[in-house]
């Protein structure tokens, strides 16, 4: 029987724009972790920590869900990769031991935001970097009337920016949005200038990209920046299409019509083989 996702975290047996969004964030983080000690808060299924472990000297994935940690330990194996149980406001690591903290789509799942940032500052080295994302409450929830039952406290961009700047001297902010298995990330200053076209042979329309997610690079040591980037998701899209085709075939094989037809045709196929 196929495993069903609860929707609380991204798991790699279903694929969508959400998959692309997460992969794009880890792709960006991957550029900052070479030979570094990395903490992935709310590591979930473990795929992101595993990606980072290919470049980092060491990666620790921390998640509050014991079952998720056990599954990650089984599925994603690397000598420099460890998973452990812990929470965002009580990280089970020594102070001043981490070069890069990664936290994607975590902060909205609880309301201990200040406690989380205090803990991140505690475990980071003096020149450490925080790379964090958060859904923009205005566009993720308010504009479309969406209510995610797993989200405890979502933040508007101004709230997210205020929180980060409260704890870090340097910060650069970015917006993210995905379209049809392609993710786009750009800085908050230039994002509003990007135009997007859509339509068909009958009508073409022009609009503005709205930021579904907020992303930040923060540090007390230096002002880090990102180039505008796109995650091209055709490989993930093909995985989802193949999955849908397989599911459709299985449903056909399981129908009474197919079973009766197979039974009636069996003698003819048997004679042909002889």
């Amino acid at each position: 029987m196929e495993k069903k996702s609860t929707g609380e975290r991204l798991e790699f047996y279903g694929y969508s724009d959400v998959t692309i969004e997460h992969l794009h964030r880890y792709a960006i983080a991957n550029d900052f972790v070479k030979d570094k000690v990395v903490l992935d808060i709310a590591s979930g299924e473990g795929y992101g920590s595993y990606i980072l472990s290919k470049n980092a000297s060491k990666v620790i994935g921390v998640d509050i869900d014991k079952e998720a940690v056990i599954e990650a330990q089984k599925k994603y194996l690397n000598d420099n990769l460890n998973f452990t149980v812990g929470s965002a406001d009580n990280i089970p690591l020594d102070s001043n031991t981490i070069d890069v903290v990664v936290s994607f789509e975590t902060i909205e799942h609880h309301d201990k935001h200040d406690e989380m940032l205090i803990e991140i500052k505690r475990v980071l080295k003096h020149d450490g970097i925080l790379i964090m994302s958060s859904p923009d409450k205005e566009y993720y929830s308010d504009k479309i009337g969406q209510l995610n039952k797993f989200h405890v406290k979502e933040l508007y961009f101004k709230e997210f920016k205020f929180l980060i700047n409260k704890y870090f001297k340097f910060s650069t902010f970015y917006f993210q949005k995905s379209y049809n298995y392609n993710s786009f990330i750009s800085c908050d200053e230039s994002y509003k200038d990007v135009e997007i076209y859509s339509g068909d042979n009958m009508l073409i329309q022009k609009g503005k990209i709205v930021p579904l997610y907020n992303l930040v690079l923060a540090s007390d040591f230096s002002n880090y920046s990102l180039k505008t980037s796109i995650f091209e998701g055709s490989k993930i899209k093909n995985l989802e299409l193949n999955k849908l085709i397989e599911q459709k075939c299985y449903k056909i094989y399981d129908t009474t019509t197919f079973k009766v037809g197979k039974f009636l045709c069996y003698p003819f196929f048997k004679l042909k083989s002889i």
Side-chain angles (χ1 to χ4, degrees), residues 110 127 167 208 264:
H110 61 85
D127 58 349
Y167 292 96
K208 297 286 186 181
L264 293 175

Side-chain angles (χ1 to χ4, degrees), residues 44-104:
E45 200 231 29
Y47 69 92
S49 301
Y50 179 72
I51 290 171
L52 299 178
S53 72
K54 300 294 186 71
N55 270 341
S57 63
K58 182 179 181 180
V59 177
I60 306 104
V62 173
D63 200 278
I64 199 169
D65 189 326
K66 184 178 180 180
E67 184 179 345
V69 170
I70 293 173
E71 290 301 313
Q73 290 171 338
K74 294 177 182 177
K75 187 173 182 179
Y76 295 102
L77 305 176
N78 213 342
D79 292 339
N80 64 339
L81 175 59
N82 296 299
F83 294 98
T84 187
V85 177
S87 63
D89 63 308
N90 188 17
I91 302 170
L93 298 175
D94 293 334
S95 301
N96 306 312
T97 55
I98 302 298
D99 295 304
V100 181
V101 171
V102 171
S103 178
F104 297 140

Side-chain angles (χ1 to χ4, degrees), residues 66-262:
K66 184 178 180 180
E67 184 179 345
V69 170
I70 293 173
E71 290 301 313
Q73 290 171 338
K74 294 177 182 177
K75 187 173 182 179
Y76 295 102
L77 305 176
N78 213 342
D79 292 339
N80 64 339
L81 175 59
N82 296 299
F83 294 98
T84 187
V85 177
S87 63
D89 63 308
N90 188 17
I91 302 170
L93 298 175
D94 293 334
S95 301
N96 306 312
T97 55
I98 302 298
D99 295 304
V100 181
V101 171
V102 171
S103 178
F104 297 140
E105 306 309 291
T106 306
I107 197 166
E108 70 277 8
H109 288 270
H110 61 85
D111 59 3
K112 296 182 178 180
H113 295 176
D114 284 286
E115 293 89 338
M116 179 181 183
L117 268 294
I118 290 170
E119 274 291 89
I120 289 174
K121 288 296 297 288
R122 180 184 67 80
V123 300
L124 271 177
K125 297 178 182 178
H126 77 281
D127 58 349
I129 307 171
L130 168 65
I131 308 175
M132 176 183 279
S133 69
S134 169
D136 190 311
K137 191 175 189 302
E138 179 180 0
Y139 298 101
Y140 185 90
S141 297
D142 293 354
K143 294 286 188 181
I144 60 175
Q146 178 174 239
L147 179 63
N148 190 319
K149 65 179 181 180
F150 298 109
H151 290 184
V152 175
K153 186 180 179 181
E154 296 173 357
L155 297 173
Y156 295 103
F157 176 61
K158 288 183 178 180
E159 294 174 324
F160 182 61
K161 192 172 185 178
F162 177 81
L163 178 69
I164 297 299
N165 289 339
K166 182 177 176 181
Y167 292 96
F168 289 92
K169 294 178 182 178
F170 303 101
S171 60
T172 51
F173 292 87
Y174 301 83
F175 295 144
Q176 180 183 27
K177 174 77 173 183
S178 63
Y179 292 92
N180 193 27
Y181 289 84
N182 294 285
S183 169
F184 177 80
I185 291 179
S186 183
C187 73
D188 58 332
E189 292 298 322
S190 62
Y191 204 93
K192 59 181 178 292
D193 296 327
V194 177
E195 294 179 333
I196 182 167
Y197 295 87
S198 62
D200 54 24
N201 61 311
M202 302 301 291
L203 179 65
I204 290 178
Q205 296 174 313
K206 179 172 69 173
K208 297 286 186 181
I209 298 181
V210 294
L212 193 61
Y213 300 94
N214 300 317
L215 181 72
V216 66
L217 270 65
S219 175
D220 285 334
F221 181 73
S222 180
N223 208 9
Y224 297 94
S225 63
L226 298 172
K227 295 180 179 179
T228 295
S229 63
I230 294 173
F231 192 100
E232 190 276 305
S234 59
K235 185 173 183 179
I236 298 298
K237 185 175 183 179
N238 288 337
L239 289 173
E240 179 63 11
L241 289 174
N242 291 336
K243 179 186 174 185
L244 292 173
I245 291 171
E246 289 177 3
Q247 289 176 339
K248 188 174 183 179
C249 289
Y250 287 141
K251 288 180 180 179
I252 292 172
Y253 296 153
D254 200 40
T255 60
T256 302
T257 301
F258 179 85
K259 290 176 180 178
V260 171
K262 183 178 180 181

